[in-house]
Amino acid sequence: MRRLFIANWKMNPMTVAAARKLFAGIVLGTAGAKNAQIVVAPPVPFLVALPKNRRIALGAQNLFWERSGAYTGEISAEMISALGAEFAIIGHSERRALGETDAMINRKIKAALSSDLYSVLCVGERDRSDENFQHIVRKQVLADLLNVPKKHAFRLVVAYEPVWAIGTGKTVEPRDLFEMATYIRRTLLELFGKSLALRIPILYGGSVNAVNAPDFLNVAGVGGLLVGGASLDADEFSAIVKNI
Ligand code: PGA
């Protein structure tokens, strides 16, 4: 089975030269990787600075739902797509922490899908001590994908990223990941029906590195990884991709 590996560079690295070097390292390091689809999501200015590569797709980390107009500082899905990106990460917890709501995320997802972008919806609980944590994730999926047309659902990806695992060195137990991936799949089934729901990749993200990556990739129903910190090290990220 082909796995999806997404490098979320966040607001890194600091210069065009460093971005090109990191990208070149990933291109080199992942050469010959089998059964892997690789996406690099750099800061938007670097989308134009990175060379086109037929093996590695580019993605954005955010976008705005309107096509154009008086929206100072925003960037539309059409613009992202025009820069050559094929993917968009939407609803990352770091954006939710800045005030992005499910209603906003829903509009962004629809805008991205209408612009033919593969949309990577990020969901995840803040804290496992809340006994309703599964329900919280379900509510996010239902609200963020509300009224997404079935004809666009084949371009959806869902990344399960528990907030407590992002950048902390803590990771989810494989058994718990299996449970959550199954639970998310069931929710997708309610929304889109069985055949579509089975086609939507469910990724794991949160403190993934080359050592722990196989633990998550071996979980049934997990279609790949969303990698933050470790994707800023070309060798580490390449080792994650080559793990399968
Ligand atoms: P991390 O980030 O791998 O640094 O934990 C993952 C993410 O935020 O997507």
Side-chain angles (χ1 to χ4, degrees), residues 8 10 92 94 161 165-167 206-208 226-229:
N8 175 13
K10 309 193 180 184
H92 191 282
E94 285 156 16
E161 296 209 304
I166 296 176
S207 296
V208 172
L226 178 49
V227 186

Side-chain angles (χ1 to χ4, degrees), residues 140-196:
Q140 286 177 334
V141 174
L142 290 176
D144 299 343
L145 299 181
L146 182 71
N147 295 329
V148 164
K150 276 192 180 180
K151 66 171 196 262
H152 287 161
F154 73 95
R155 262 188 269 107
L156 271 176
V157 175
V158 177
Y160 169 57
E161 296 209 304
V163 180
W164 51 267
I166 296 176
T168 57
K170 293 183 197 151
T171 55
V172 74
E173 289 296 327
R175 190 168 30 97
D176 294 340
L177 176 57
F178 174 73
E179 246 177 42
M180 186 58 94
T182 308
Y183 191 73
I184 291 173
R185 182 85 61 200
R186 272 217 304 266
T187 309
L188 293 172
L189 207 136
E190 283 171 43
L191 286 169
F192 302 116
K194 191 171 172 187
S195 64
L196 275 172

